[in-house]
Amino acid sequence: MKLQNATLFITGANRGIGLAFAREALARGARKVYAGARDPSSVTLPGVEPVALDVNDDEQVAAAARRCGDVTLVINNAGIAAFGGFLADGGVESARRQMETNYFGPLRVTRAFAPVLAANGGGAVLNVLSVASWISSPTLAVYGASKSAAWSLTNGLRIDLRAQGTQVLGLHMGFVDTDMTQGIAMPKTSPLDVVRRAFDALEAGAEEVLGDELTQHVKRGLSVEPGIYLQDARA
């Protein structure tokens, strides 16, 4: 799918990676960019159209799909991350919150926009995933589980949407230099670099893209013995 003259709907587009997606889409000649955010007033990028959107709110998601009937590319970017493991205090509640946004959010949005994409020739869905889909550590264990679920969702949606000609691209990446990762002392990739790789892959017709060297290393480790996913990611 080409970005030139495309119409995008980006969730969580007011900051971080979502904002970088919006900027780069405009730079590549997108015709229109809808920027979904819980607080539309926080969307300040010139040239985009703010849309009130909480991906956990069925009515807001449905309203967005009705309003944005010309969309050809949906980017499921909105997500949350909370530190902690499964056995920590509040682990179950944390899992519910993160699954609601990181798994059910993309599911809601894709279900709502699938008929829109079909009506506009098929288009594409880009799901923002994580290297934490494949490896775990006590710090990001619960978050990683939500992203593993989102990865599985992405693979299932790819099959479901193939018949209507919709490309589904999963973007896996490690730590990106955004406000979400400010408290993590690890090497980080710039949002623009990740977004450019994702858009290059999208335009090449790919179904999966690895956004940085860390993720490429981890992907290779999935098939070794013992698998990299059997280890604590801190090791």
Side-chain angles (χ1 to χ4, degrees):
M1 176 180 177
K2 300 303 180 185
L3 272 296
Q4 183 73 35
N5 294 321
T7 298
L8 286 74
F9 185 89
I10 306 171
T11 69
N14 56 323
R15 60 191 179 97
I17 298 170
L19 178 58
F21 269 120
R23 284 187 173 130
E24 184 64 11
L26 293 173
R28 295 194 184 206
R31 186 176 69 85
K32 185 185 294 186
V33 175
Y34 295 105
R38 282 178 291 186
D39 177 7
S41 67
S42 65
V43 177
T44 59
L45 179 65
V48 304
E49 184 173 328
V51 177
L53 181 74
D54 180 345
V55 297
N56 299 326
D57 187 318
D58 289 323
E59 292 184 4
Q60 283 197 359
V61 171
R66 290 193 298 268
R67 171 179 169 181
C68 307
D70 52 348
V71 165
T72 58
L73 170 60
V74 173
I75 300 181
N76 285 309
N77 165 74
I80 61 173
F83 293 142
F86 298 109
L87 304 182
D89 291 344
V92 172
E93 291 74 15
S94 179
R96 286 197 180 103
R97 288 195 306 273
Q98 293 184 80
M99 284 291 292
E100 192 67 33
T101 298
N102 298 343
Y103 171 78
F104 287 106
L107 175 58
R108 287 187 190 91
V109 172
T110 305
R111 284 174 57 88
F113 275 92
V116 175
L117 295 174
N120 293 326
V125 174
L126 194 165
N127 285 347
V128 176
L129 305 172
S130 171
V131 70
S133 303
W134 298 327
I135 54 176
S136 188
S137 70
T139 302
L140 291 172
V142 179
Y143 170 77
S146 72
K147 284 299 187 176
S148 292
W151 176 42
S152 183
L153 169 66
T154 302
N155 294 334
L157 289 173
R158 185 178 297 115
I159 296 168
D160 287 346
L161 295 174
R162 190 166 285 152
Q164 70 175 44
T166 299
Q167 177 186 357
V168 176
L169 175 65
L171 166 61
H172 297 267
M173 57 193 168
F175 298 110
V176 182
D177 192 11
T178 67
D179 56 353
M180 184 180 287
T181 63
Q182 283 181 353
I184 300 175
M186 292 286 289
K188 299 169 187 175
T189 308
S190 79
L192 183 57
D193 285 347
V194 171
V195 164
R196 284 175 173 168
R197 287 185 183 182
F199 277 159
D200 287 347
L202 184 76
E203 294 193 312
E207 295 181 326
E208 183 174 83
V209 57
L210 310 180
D212 51 45
E213 292 183 5
L214 170 64
T215 307
Q216 294 165 20
H217 169 74
V218 169
K219 178 67 181 298
R220 290 191 295 269
L222 295 178
S223 60
V224 302
E225 292 292 343
I228 196 170
Y229 51 87
L230 298 176
Q231 306 169 21
D232 185 333
R234 300 172 302 177

